[in-house]
Amino acid sequence: MAYNYKTHICCSGQIYVRGVSTSCCGSSPYNYQTHLCCSGQVQVRGRNTGCCRFTPYNYQTHVCCAGTLLVKPVATYSCCGSVGYNYNTHICCGGVLRVKGPNNRCCGTTPYNYNTHICCGGVLRVKGPNNRCCGTTPYNYNTHICCGGVLRVKGANNACCGTTPYNYNTHICCAGVLRVRGANNACCATVAYNRNSRICCANRLFVKRGNNACCRQTPYSTSSTLCCPDGSLYDRTHVNACCCTYTWFNVLTALS
């Protein structure tokens, strides 16, 4: 059945007159300014700000943990699974509640101090000068580089080509093949090239010669040539020339 969405609302196939603040709760319309929709049931909003399954509650006074409503004794109260806790004094790691102490991060279910340790792939290590992870191995980003899970001495390298580190200023990585950069600034499959003088169409290189785009595998100039979806090229003689599916035509003559 057709209806005017400005004046009516459709809830589960039933049409109702729309109020100023009308929404749907299952198949029933309700005013979301005065009521809440809790799991398909309309409840009086009052001072409540959310739902804990079917029960409305105020998040400033209560907390909903896995569908269980708990009184919030302090503002820093949160949930660890179905258990409430004070996150200033405790830490929840993978659903396991622990005394916080100096710990401020989790490594799986184990709490740890981020200032003294580092978690790499779920394995807890002493941090020392290390500030990154390569798999389960910690390393110092200033002295080493991790490429594809392989740790290498960094040297002048600042990028990765597969598992091989390289210097982005002197080399370029094309589809996993390392090339000398020189004047090249782009890749055509595994070949490096300069896009100012050449163009890559369908992984094949061509001298640019004024061409600035590809019509499938053929380079062409968008200012003088028209490319249709089937890859056909036409001389752009008329400003109004365009493609109708796969056939070129002139808009002015076609409509006359």
Side-chain angles (χ1 to χ4, degrees):
M1 182 182 295
Y3 71 98
N4 187 333
Y5 73 91
K6 292 182 179 180
T7 59
H8 290 71
I9 189 170
C10 180
C11 298
S12 297
Q14 298 294 316
I15 297 174
Y16 300 92
V17 175
R18 181 186 290 277
V20 177
S21 306
T22 306
S23 189
C24 291
C25 184
S27 60
S28 303
Y30 77 104
N31 186 328
Y32 59 79
Q33 299 279 11
T34 59
H35 290 72
L36 290 168
C37 178
C38 297
S39 298
Q41 295 184 4
V42 178
Q43 306 282 359
V44 176
R45 179 180 286 275
R47 294 184 179 180
N48 300 311
T49 51
C51 298
C52 188
R53 291 188 179 175
F54 299 102
T55 307
Y57 76 101
N58 188 327
Y59 74 89
Q60 293 183 334
T61 59
H62 289 73
V63 64
C64 180
C65 297
T68 302
L69 200 58
L70 304 172
V71 175
K72 199 173 187 178
V74 290
T76 53
Y77 209 63
S78 190
C79 296
C80 184
S82 59
V83 179
Y85 76 103
N86 185 339
Y87 58 76
N88 278 341
T89 59
H90 289 72
I91 189 169
C92 178
C93 294
V96 179
L97 198 59
R98 314 268 192 178
V99 175
K100 194 169 191 177
N103 301 314
N104 49 18
R105 297 280 179 94
C106 293
C107 188
T109 57
T110 305
Y112 72 99
N113 188 331
Y114 178 75
N115 298 313
T116 59
H117 289 72
I118 188 170
C119 179
C120 295
V123 179
L124 199 58
R125 311 276 193 180
V126 174
K127 193 169 191 177
N130 301 312
N131 49 17
R132 298 281 179 91
C133 292
C134 187
T136 58
T137 305
Y139 73 99
N140 188 328
Y141 176 76
N142 296 317
T143 59
H144 289 72
I145 187 169
C146 178
C147 295
V150 179
L151 197 59
R152 314 268 192 180
V153 174
K154 193 169 192 177
N157 300 313
N158 51 13
C160 294
C161 187
T163 58
T164 305
Y166 73 100
N167 188 326
Y168 178 79
N169 298 312
T170 59
H171 289 72
I172 187 169
C173 180
C174 296
V177 178
L178 205 55
R179 307 287 189 183
V180 174
R181 179 176 286 276
N184 300 315
N185 53 17
C187 293
C188 186
T190 59
V191 179
Y193 75 101
N194 188 321
R195 61 165 63 102
N196 295 320
S197 58
R198 304 175 86 186
I199 187 169
C200 177
C201 297
N203 292 331
R204 293 176 60 199
L205 275 175
F206 300 87
V207 176
K208 211 162 192 180
R209 294 197 184 97
N211 298 314
N212 61 351
C214 295
C215 187
R216 294 198 176 183
Q217 70 273 14
T218 306
Y220 77 105
S221 171
T222 54
S223 61
S224 61
T225 310
L226 181 69
C227 173
C228 286
D230 66 342
S232 299
L233 290 167
Y234 297 93
D235 183 17
R236 193 186 286 275
T237 305
H238 304 285
V239 175
N240 299 293
C242 67
C243 299
C244 181
T245 310
Y246 298 137
T247 305
W248 172 92
F249 74 102
N250 186 318
V251 176
L252 295 181
T253 58
L255 296 177
S256 61

